[in-house]
Amino acid sequence: MIPNAFDYIKAGSIEEAIQLMQESDGEGKFLAGGHSLVPLMKFRLTNPGKLIDISSIQELKGIRQEGNRLIVGALTTHKQLYSDALVKENIAVLADTARTIGDMQIRNRGTVGGNLAHADSAADLPGVALALEALMEVQGEDGKEVIDIDGFFLGPLVTALPETSVLTSISFLIPPSHTKSVYLKYAHPASGYAVVGVCAIAGVGEDGRIDFVRIGINGVADVAYRATTVEQALLGELPTAESIQRAAALAAEEGEIGNDLFASEQYRRNLATVYTERALSRILL
Amino acid sequence: MAKLIGTPQKRKEDPKLITGNGNFTDDIKLPGMLHGAFVRSPHAHAKIIRIDVSKALALPGVVAVYTGNDLVGKVKSVPTMWLLPGADLKPKDRSALAQGKTRYAGECVALVVAENRYIARDALDLVEVDYEDLPAVVHQEAALLDGAPLVHDDVAANLALLWKAGEVPEEEFQNAEVVVKQRLYNQRVIPNPIETRGAVAQYNPGSGELTIWCTSQNPHIHRMVYAGVLDIPESRLQIVAPDVGGGFGSKIATYNEEAVIGHAARDLKRPVKWIEDRKEHFMATTHARDEVIEVELAGKRDGTFTAIRVKNTANLGAYLSTFGAGCPTIDFGLMVTGAYTIPKASVVTYGVYTNTTPTDAYRGAGKPEAAFQIERIVDLFAQEIGMDPVEIRQKNLIPAEAFPYGTAMGVSYDSGNYHYTLDRALDIADYASLRAEQKRLREQGKLLGIGVSTYVELCGFGPSKVAGAIGFQGGVWENSTVRVHPTGKVAVFTGTSPHGQGTATTFAQVVAEKLGIPIDDIELISGDTRSVSMGWGTYGSRNTAVGGAAVAIATDRVIEKAKTIAAHELEVSVEDLEFSNGIFSVKGVPTQSRSFQEIAKSANFAWNLPDGVEPSLEGQSFFDPPNFVYPFGAHICVVEVNVQTGEVELKRYIAVDDVGRVINPLLAEGQVHGGVAQGIGQALWEGAVYSDNGQLLSGTFMDYTMPKARFFPTIESHFTETPSPVNPLGAKGVGETGTTGAPPAVVNAVMDALRPFGIKDLDMPLTPEKVWRAMQTRGENA
Amino acid sequence: MTCKKNISLSVNGVTRQAEIEPRLLLAHLLRDELNLTGTHIGCDTSQCGACTVMVDGDVVKSCTVLAVQADGKEVTTVEGLGDMEQLHPIQQGFWEKHGLQCGFCTPGVMISMIGLLKENPNPTEEEIRDALEGVICRCTGYQFIVSAVQHAAQLIAEGNAVKETTMSTGEGR
């Protein structure tokens, strides 16, 4: 499979990238690792006239801590993410999730920004980003802005990212120290993508009751979502098998549950419940 | 004599492959070479109203565009090669490029030829084709119904063939103590070698010679067929199978694309290359299985089987592929009684045209389906009478002393010790402990399942007169020449065409052991119709049992002639000579001797040959096997089914196979691993899915599950050896044992795990959702 | 028509220049332009891994990378591993343990397993099977591939026949 012809230009800075995109008259696409874009182009499902390569822009790289957040440059590869000491130490679940993405070759090449900006619910990072209350730091023609992850995924493969803006970095919440977290996924046996992925973060207060819980679910629905009903059902509860089971039963209450050759809507609902229960049991029991 | 047969040897094939020096079809690059790409029908069934190639032709770099009309009188349809007699066969051949109508999604409509593959791909989008969509039919049972769309207007009810064999009086079932009946669907699977199909063609306008390098398992069959399709004498058509990246049956068939590429090279007088991409491969290369099998097994309360009758409704796709008619009939039907003494049997097969990719051989071709239905129905029979599935097998397996055993289907199983092989598997698995463990886990609500299959399969087709009787358009003998160079180095020519089996190694082991020379002194030459005079290729596990036998016989003929020359030089009679470790010596006088290399030189120089002996040292054999060979085995699978998700976890897989004499145990085990992986793949994950209007929904590796490493436990592979009396090596065949033995072992295991739910049968593949749903409904709908 | 690009990259230690269309895939650059046909294409959708090569020491699928993205980088293909005089341990492992049958996926599988061994020099069977997620082999059932990787790990640990240049490609940059 071979993509349509296009022009290619390398951007040296964020500003240059934005300007090149503006000049492309809607024909342009940003190219980072290319692992979301190139496969679509090979199928000719997307046919940009111009690729603006942002992969060498230094400002888009690196991982740093700011208060209770980690700021991850958009160009960080999945491998860099799970190998990074700051990430492993502060947000183990982010590292663990990155380690399960696709396969070794894809993890070496795919980027955090590309993965999230592609807004594929079956990817692994959307769930964890939702649970970690990610803030998408964006730079565009009108300067910088921050888009809350809750408002970022608008539909399958559609985000709130303006076309001429560059996703520069993603800020992830460092979960409170008393919490535990896990990402569990059921991978499609052929594609490796998540049929369901559940990121759960939860902690129990001194009174023995659940005082912090965040659940992001990807794969199940056509857009990844935060399972707020599950969270609410757990807050203030004692962490028991029963309370977890009751709450997990609500896992598929949000979002348009998908349906494909491999898994029907009904089965996906079941998987969402099972995996949410397993994830919560893992960290709370 | 140095012992090589039966020893593990590193492969002679590997050095080039592990250093990136293989020569696969897409690696071939010729001066001035053009690239072809095929426009394919997006519709499963449509009339072609208009084709406009002008925009494509106008694209810079496009050299030519061919449509069906351009090929009239130049490239004929590609004929089927299995003209099954007595079945009212209505063969329908694929046009080189579609004319008037397309009958499956992916059928070739036009060929674009351009300066490189990128331009060729761009030009595809510029060929304008107007279609008138017609109603399509994709399922074979639907295609047989009144009022179903007709794939071919002159084939009533889409019935391509109706084949019957064997007879069982109705009373056998009416009066039987027990009759167990089951409908089984052996789903459509896609062979999917990792190298797709492809071809490079080169024409010499001066000599009129055409060479086609292509991904073939049997270049001589390709030559025979394409010579007719392209109207070129075989002497001017050379087919070369270079390194071939797996076939599994899909590269046996002769297709239209390779012939059309050959024509384009002839027409344009420039080399042309075409390489399938994976998406094309999914549509354009043969699929397999897709048989609805209804089986009834009659027997006694004590577990003795008395009769079986089977109906197979097989989906042949839109055209009759090369050997498509044989898979669900001969290959399937002759083996329906399996490894058991069942005195009466009958089979009827309906072969049906549908608007889908044609089906043909896939690793086992009919035999896996036969084993599947008998092994499943045996389990259901055991369940019905409350007997352990192992006990019922032990009761009905053909006893060792009964061989050669004539079956109710009229074939003669060559040799076997079925009980011993089963006992070995039971020992290795520790069957009694497994059952105890199962009981313990069931009490905890865990679903452990144990599945057994004791399969037998047929391979190494022969003799050729049988091929003739069943309408197979070709011989099934094999050819080998063993040529000794003056230095004593040996070239072995074979008409088989290996593509991953390690034949260069196994055949060298046979020759080296016989001649007493180093294995490195031997080279195998195969896969080129110019180098090898004739042969029938590598498929149906015939490589060693037939091709290897020819090599062994040809080598013996070399020794015989060499002995005559050595006796002459040593001035003794041939009877006074012995040959050991590459040395001819006078019996009792070891100092009077000649080495094999010395005789090689003498024979080739011909300075001093005995009267009546011609120069050179070559042996040739055209070995026509007197019978089929019948490998068999016992496989045991242990699974655990997840109650919450329906996922099937493979806990253990034990394969005890008897493939006759094993030439190279390392390679034989590799064959078992690969075959078992494919067999498990069919049982659990693989399946081609069409939409009702004939779109292939599982059309990439994103949707069609190719088994991955993490799916499998360590496969515990063991062999028992019961030599075959059919050929001088005593070898049977190892390639198809896994795809034959594994699917029923796995499905039996999963059904065993699901017994607490009262679920008796589920169709393959046993995907998590299917298993989960069955548990949800507690088997009510299963 | 789109503008061609000039790129320069190091392939198996040799600097190569090419004038290419931006859409040219790295796999096609290697195979068609540079005649390094050991790297194969099997699936086109990033599943089979037959096209796996190393770019700056990381294993990647060259059918999903544009050649322009490899501009200025160091690429290692199967041809750069070892020759018959001095095989790379992974090649030795595959040969000795019968880790290949048709050999079509093998170059990509070997390269990807070098990637594993760089991260994890002593992998368990489970870790090897997990790391094989990015490749598909239709012939072997993977079992002898696992043996081959284990054998290679052992050879490397013993310090046998390690080609420093290969194992360290792209590191320390």
Side-chain angles (χ1 to χ4, degrees):
Chain A
M1 276 184 285
I2 291 161
N4 259 313
F6 54 82
D7 280 321
Y8 168 92
I9 189 152
K10 209 161 189 159
S13 68
I14 297 174
E15 291 73 20
E16 190 188 349
I18 294 166
Q19 196 191 332
L20 287 167
M21 186 58 88
Q22 282 173 313
E23 289 165 6
S24 78
D25 290 332
E27 286 284 299
K29 286 259 185 199
F30 291 124
L31 174 73
H35 270 39
S36 300
L37 185 60
V38 174
L40 289 179
M41 290 172 59
K42 285 171 66 185
F43 272 110
R44 302 199 171 193
L45 292 172
T46 183
N47 299 290
K50 182 179 264 186
L51 284 192
I52 299 153
D53 187 345
I54 56 171
S55 66
S56 53
I57 301 176
Q58 279 308 316
E59 305 147 85
L60 301 177
K61 297 178 182 176
I63 298 171
R64 65 182 197 277
Q65 186 173 355
E66 280 181 13
N68 69 339
R69 288 192 161 260
L70 282 190
I71 316 299
V72 175
L75 284 181
T76 306
T77 64
H78 307 313
K79 183 188 177 186
Q80 286 164 347
L81 192 63
Y82 74 70
S83 310
D84 187 87
L86 266 181
V87 177
K88 282 196 279 193
E89 197 178 308
N90 290 290
I91 320 181
V93 70
L94 188 56
D96 293 346
T97 304
R99 202 186 289 277
T100 72
I101 292 172
D103 54 53
M104 189 166 50
Q105 293 94 316
I106 287 168
R107 292 190 290 271
N108 282 337
R109 192 79 197 163
T111 65
V112 177
N115 186 296
L116 289 169
H118 187 51
D120 185 348
S121 168
D124 294 297
L125 288 178
V128 72
L130 283 156
L132 292 169
E133 297 178 356
L135 298 172
M136 317 300 281
E137 299 176 352
V138 169
Q139 191 170 332
E141 40 196 315
D142 304 322
K144 295 184 181 181
E145 63 171 316
V146 171
I147 305 174
D148 194 300
I149 190 81
D150 282 333
F152 186 71
F153 301 123
L154 302 181
L157 312 187
V158 184
T159 68
L161 185 68
E163 228 163 66
T164 53
S165 296
V166 177
L167 175 62
T168 55
S169 58
I170 303 99
S171 152
F172 295 101
L173 177 76
I174 297 172
S177 58
H178 74 293
T179 61
K180 288 184 184 168
S181 52
V182 71
Y183 175 72
L184 292 184
K185 89 158 150 176
Y186 182 111
H188 188 292
S191 70
Y193 279 103
V195 179
V196 56
V198 176
C199 176
I201 306 166
V204 177
E206 282 171 9
D207 61 354
R209 291 180 183 276
I210 298 165
D211 68 348
F212 184 97
V213 56
R214 299 285 184 277
I215 298 165
I217 298 183
N218 48 277
V220 177
D222 55 6
V223 180
Y225 60 93
R226 176 115 164 243
T228 46
T229 48
V230 181
E231 294 177 5
Q232 277 153 19
L234 283 171
L235 264 184
E237 295 289 320
L238 294 169
T240 64
E242 293 70 34
S243 65
I244 288 171
Q245 203 180 358
R246 251 194 329 270
L250 305 169
E253 291 300 300
E254 277 132 296
E256 288 284 314
I257 308 302
N259 182 7
D260 66 12
L261 259 192
F262 181 73
S264 69
E265 178 186 338
Q266 198 190 359
Y267 185 59
R268 281 170 191 274
R269 286 184 187 279
N270 173 61
L271 288 180
T273 300
V274 170
Y275 274 74
T276 302
E277 187 182 334
R278 283 185 194 173
L280 289 167
S281 302
R282 179 86 64 90
I283 56 176
L284 285 171
L285 296 182
Chain B
M1 201 174 281
K3 187 78 192 133
L4 286 168
I5 295 174
T7 63
Q9 297 288 330
K10 277 198 297 188
R11 297 203 318 171
K12 289 167 67 71
E13 292 84 345
D14 288 358
K16 66 177 174 180
L17 296 170
I18 57 175
T19 55
N21 289 296
N23 183 36
F24 294 90
T25 300
D26 196 17
D27 301 344
I28 295 166
K29 202 174 186 181
L30 301 172
M33 187 171 74
L34 300 167
H35 292 259
F38 287 93
V39 176
R40 294 179 183 278
S41 170
H43 303 280
H45 198 193
K47 265 188 203 161
I48 299 170
I49 306 296
R50 182 188 70 105
I51 305 177
D52 183 349
V53 303
S54 55
K55 283 185 188 147
L57 271 175
L59 184 73
V62 171
V63 175
V65 182
Y66 298 91
T67 66
N69 288 340
D70 300 326
L71 301 187
V72 174
K74 293 170 183 162
V75 187
K76 296 193 189 82
S77 294
V78 180
T80 187
M81 296 302 284
W82 198 326
L83 299 172
L84 193 69
D88 195 17
L89 188 73
K90 299 189 176 65
K92 288 292 172 186
D93 299 333
R94 239 183 296 199
S95 304
L97 293 171
Q99 289 185 21
K101 231 180 162 190
T102 67
R103 294 183 176 84
Y104 65 96
E107 185 167 359
C108 292
V109 173
L111 169 70
V112 167
V113 184
E115 293 291 342
N116 67 46
R117 59 176 108 214
Y118 281 59
I119 298 171
R121 172 63 191 85
D122 290 343
L124 289 186
D125 293 344
L126 300 176
V127 176
E128 293 174 0
V129 188
D130 292 343
Y131 297 95
E132 180 189 324
D133 216 353
L134 297 170
V137 61
V138 300
H139 192 268
Q140 59 267 48
E141 287 175 314
L144 286 173
L145 296 176
D146 281 347
L150 288 182
V151 179
H152 301 276
D153 294 339
D154 55 348
V155 180
N158 296 308
L159 189 62
L161 65 89
L162 176 55
W163 181 80
K164 292 176 183 171
E167 263 185 67
V168 185
E170 182 58 34
E171 306 86 77
E172 289 288 334
F173 286 88
Q174 273 171 4
N175 304 334
E177 290 175 19
V178 183
V179 176
V180 179
K181 195 173 174 176
Q182 186 62 48
R183 178 187 196 273
L184 301 158
Y185 178 49
N186 208 293
Q187 85 275 29
R188 180 178 283 239
V189 293
I190 301 180
N192 264 326
I194 303 302
E195 181 202 32
T196 58
R197 272 193 306 128
V200 177
Q202 183 175 38
Y203 181 69
N204 184 322
S207 66
E209 290 167 306
L210 177 66
T211 303
I212 304 175
W213 292 262
C214 61
T215 51
S216 171
Q217 294 180 225
N218 29 243
H220 292 89
I221 293 180
H222 279 71
R223 182 180 64 174
M224 178 173 73
V225 171
Y226 294 153
V229 170
L230 291 168
D231 197 17
I232 293 180
E234 274 153 296
S235 52
R236 277 189 229 148
L237 177 61
Q238 179 187 14
I239 303 287
V240 186
D243 287 325
V244 174
F248 315 111
S250 71
K251 294 170 181 171
I252 299 171
T254 48
Y255 295 85
N256 48 334
E257 289 96 337
E258 288 85 339
V260 173
I261 292 297
H263 172 73
R266 175 173 66 181
D267 189 49
L268 299 170
K269 301 178 177 60
R270 283 176 71 179
V272 181
K273 177 191 276 188
W274 159 74
I275 302 295
E276 239 179 8
D277 68 29
R278 181 60 57 182
K279 202 161 160 261
E280 268 187 296
H281 180 85
F282 265 94
M283 299 185 290
T285 294
T286 51
H287 298 175
R289 316 278 195 257
D290 202 347
E291 293 161 36
V292 176
I293 296 164
E294 291 157 276
V295 51
E296 283 174 275
L297 180 61
K300 298 179 187 164
R301 280 271 149 222
D302 71 357
T304 312
F305 306 147
T306 53
I308 186 170
R309 64 181 171 199
V310 186
K311 178 183 165 192
N312 183 346
T313 310
N315 192 335
L316 302 175
Y319 299 92
L320 205 48
S321 182
T322 311
F323 296 131
C327 301
T329 55
I330 301 292
D331 287 348
F332 170 80
L334 298 184
M335 295 308 294
V336 293
T337 55
Y340 311 104
T341 53
I342 306 179
K344 296 194 169 63
S346 72
V347 184
V348 56
T349 296
Y350 293 77
V352 185
Y353 287 125
T354 63
N355 295 112
T356 61
T357 296
T359 57
D360 206 318
Y362 169 52
R363 206 166 186 168
K367 287 106 65 178
E369 298 96 300
F372 187 74
Q373 57 85 36
I374 184 70
E375 291 304 307
R376 286 288 300 127
I377 202 73
V378 162
D379 257 38
L380 291 168
F381 195 104
Q383 204 173 326
E384 178 70 24
I385 61 167
M387 191 179 267
D388 185 275
V390 167
E391 193 187 340
I392 203 166
R393 285 177 167 81
Q394 285 167 332
K395 198 173 176 68
N396 289 281
L397 283 175
I398 298 163
E401 58 275 15
F403 290 93
Y405 178 80
T407 75
M409 290 310 300
V411 292
S412 174
Y413 292 177
D414 58 342
S415 65
N417 190 343
Y418 297 174
H419 286 90
Y420 175 64
T421 302
L422 175 57
D423 288 344
R424 285 279 292 132
L426 294 171
D427 277 352
I428 294 161
D430 194 357
Y431 185 72
S433 302
L434 282 174
R435 285 289 174 205
E437 171 79 351
Q438 178 182 43
K439 191 159 177 278
R440 196 178 63 74
L441 287 172
R442 266 190 192 157
E443 280 157 16
Q444 298 170 20
K446 288 192 174 167
L447 304 175
L448 193 77
I450 304 149
V452 179
S453 82
T454 42
Y455 73 90
V456 57
E457 62 127 343
L458 151 168
C459 56
F461 258 64
S464 295
K465 66 180 175 190
V466 168
I470 58 178
F472 183 92
Q473 299 301 297
V476 288
W477 49 269
E478 203 40 85
N479 159 29
S480 179
T481 298
V482 173
R483 178 175 300 160
V484 184
H485 297 301
T487 55
K489 305 280 196 263
V490 175
V492 178
F493 297 77
T494 178
T496 66
S497 193
H499 43 280
Q501 291 82 356
T503 307
T505 309
T506 49
F507 283 10
Q509 284 177 250
V510 171
V511 176
E513 176 166 318
K514 282 183 175 284
L515 296 182
I517 61 174
I519 208 167
D520 286 341
D521 283 3
I522 298 156
E523 297 303 330
L524 186 75
I525 292 162
S526 65
D528 183 339
T529 59
R530 277 278 161 87
S531 308
V532 181
S533 59
M534 190 55 204
W536 298 99
T538 292
Y539 54 87
S541 286
R542 67 189 300 277
N543 202 63
T544 308
V546 188
V551 168
I553 295 165
T555 309
D556 287 342
R557 289 181 180 156
V558 164
I559 295 170
E560 205 178 315
K561 180 170 180 182
K563 241 182 186 172
T564 315
I565 298 166
H568 175 73
E569 290 191 4
L570 293 165
E571 296 177 335
V572 293
S573 73
V574 169
E575 291 72 38
D576 293 331
L577 270 191
E578 58 187 9
F579 179 56
S580 175
N581 284 321
I583 306 289
F584 299 91
S585 58
V586 179
K587 284 176 190 165
V589 197
T591 48
Q592 282 194 45
S593 68
R594 290 285 186 279
S595 71
F596 177 75
Q597 289 77 8
E598 286 169 327
I599 299 301
K601 183 177 170 185
S602 299
N604 279 288
F605 283 21
W607 290 348
N608 176 23
L609 294 178
D611 288 343
V613 172
E614 292 185 342
S616 107
L617 187 53
E618 257 188 44
Q620 187 164 28
S621 165
F622 297 91
F623 176 70
D624 201 3
N627 188 7
F628 302 103
V629 289
Y630 295 85
F632 60 94
H635 288 198
I636 297 179
C637 177
V638 184
V639 301
E640 188 175 334
V641 173
N642 187 300
V643 186
Q644 288 182 309
T645 62
E647 284 168 282
V648 175
E649 184 196 349
L650 292 160
K651 309 285 278 188
R652 282 183 77 189
Y653 197 95
I654 297 116
V656 181
D657 297 294
D658 194 317
V659 299
R661 201 163 169 210
V662 172
I663 310 294
N664 184 329
L666 185 67
L667 273 55
E669 193 177 337
Q671 286 290 316
V672 170
H673 294 165
V676 165
Q678 289 179 357
I680 296 175
Q682 175 170 17
L684 295 182
W685 308 293
E686 296 184 41
V689 181
Y690 277 97
S691 70
D692 288 342
N693 66 354
Q695 295 298 319
L696 182 62
L697 301 176
S698 53
T700 70
F701 284 168
M702 311 272 284
D703 318 289
Y704 185 95
T705 303
M706 295 286 280
K708 295 180 187 172
R710 67 178 166 84
F711 296 0
F712 297 108
T714 298
I715 292 158
E716 302 166 51
S717 167
H718 302 264
F719 293 99
T720 60
E721 285 197 51
T722 312
S724 172
V726 168
N727 62 68
L729 289 173
K732 296 189 173 183
V734 65
E736 301 167 334
T737 57
T739 48
T740 306
V746 174
V747 175
N748 284 344
V750 176
M751 293 309 131
D752 186 51
L754 295 176
R755 274 187 82 165
F757 291 84
I759 297 162
K760 286 198 167 175
D761 188 56
L762 293 172
D763 287 338
M764 297 187 290
L766 300 173
T767 56
E769 174 160 4
K770 197 180 286 172
V771 174
W772 175 76
R773 278 187 182 278
M775 289 190 290
Q776 294 296 302
T777 53
R778 296 233 151 206
E780 285 157 31
N781 304 325
Chain C
M1 280 303 279
T2 52
C3 304
K4 289 202 169 190
K5 287 274 157 195
N6 286 304
I7 60 168
S8 169
L9 67 168
S10 157
V11 182
N12 301 327
V14 179
T15 302
R16 309 294 294 259
Q17 266 127 17
E19 192 192 12
I20 58 164
E21 270 195 277
R23 63 170 167 163
L24 185 71
L25 301 170
L26 178 57
H28 284 144
L29 171 77
L30 295 169
R31 291 182 49 78
D32 294 348
E33 312 289 323
L34 305 181
N35 294 321
L36 294 167
T37 54
T39 301
H40 299 143
I41 298 174
C43 77
D44 299 297
T45 53
S46 280
Q47 260 77 38
C48 84
C51 65
T52 302
V53 301
M54 276 191 277
V55 176
D56 282 357
D58 284 332
V59 297
V60 302
K61 292 178 180 173
S62 65
C63 84
T64 309
V65 175
L66 301 171
V68 284
Q69 292 179 287
D71 187 18
K73 314 258 189 209
E74 286 186 13
V75 175
T76 306
T77 68
V78 64
E79 290 91 344
L81 291 184
D83 52 27
M84 289 313 293
E85 278 66 54
Q86 195 181 19
L87 286 174
H88 186 284
I90 199 79
Q91 293 169 312
Q92 246 174 300
F94 271 71
W95 194 16
E96 282 170 25
K97 298 297 174 184
H98 189 31
L100 63 150
Q101 289 181 24
C102 81
F104 191 80
C105 74
T106 309
V109 177
M110 289 194 303
I111 300 252
S112 69
M113 289 300 99
I114 291 175
L116 168 69
L117 294 176
K118 283 171 69 177
E119 271 192 50
N120 180 355
N122 189 22
T124 63
E125 173 169 352
E126 196 188 343
E127 285 166 340
I128 295 169
R129 286 183 183 270
D130 280 345
L132 288 165
E133 179 71 14
V135 299
I136 297 172
C137 169
R138 190 58 151 168
C139 292
T140 63
Y142 304 101
Q143 194 151 316
F144 284 155
I145 292 180
V146 172
S147 309
V149 177
Q150 286 169 328
H151 188 60
Q154 195 186 336
L155 290 175
I156 292 169
E158 289 164 2
N160 284 348
V162 186
K163 261 179 92 181
E164 284 302 324
T165 49
T166 304
M167 287 308 287
S168 63
T169 298
E171 281 182 356
R173 287 158 53 88

